[in-house]
């Protein structure tokens, strides 16, 4: 996790450690609870995409370190 940016570490913390939904994460990231549904959905989608990128990066680092077998 330390190799990730602060934003990506926060996403991992909120999603994996705290188990928040994507909408809840979007609210945390934007710092607003009273936003329109379309704004919330857009931010939730952006957070999901960043999370996927973070997972891929962590997987590659773990493979290089020999912690995981290479993905087929």
């Amino acid at each position: 996790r330390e190799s990730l940016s602060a934003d990506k570490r926060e996403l991992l913390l909120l999603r994996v450690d705290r188990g928040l939904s994507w909408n809840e994460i979007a609210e945390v990231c934007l710092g607003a609870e009273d936003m329109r549904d379309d704004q919330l959905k857009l931010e939730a989608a952006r957070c999901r995409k960043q999370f996927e990128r973070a997972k891929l990066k962590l997987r590659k680092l773990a493979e290089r370190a020999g912690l995981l077998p290479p993905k087929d």
Side-chain angles (χ1 to χ4, degrees):
R1 285 187 183 188
E2 293 80 28
S3 65
L4 298 174
S5 69
D7 291 343
K8 289 188 171 102
R9 281 195 310 267
E10 182 180 24
L11 282 175
L12 281 174
L13 172 81
L14 295 172
R15 183 67 177 173
V16 176
D17 297 347
R18 294 195 181 167
L20 296 183
S21 71
W22 289 114
N23 285 350
E24 291 169 325
I25 292 170
E27 288 176 355
V28 170
C29 290
L30 290 178
E33 293 181 16
D34 299 329
M35 67 179 76
R36 296 186 330 252
D37 282 346
D38 59 332
Q39 290 174 311
L40 189 63
K41 287 179 184 177
L42 185 63
E43 182 64 13
R46 188 187 69 76
C47 290
R48 271 193 304 276
K49 189 65 175 176
Q50 282 189 327
F51 182 79
E52 289 300 319
R53 289 181 186 135
K55 282 191 339 184
L56 287 173
K57 181 176 180 177
L58 286 174
R59 178 162 187 83
K60 287 178 186 178
L61 290 171
E63 287 172 358
R64 285 186 203 136
L67 301 172
L68 293 174
K71 191 175 179 180
D72 293 331

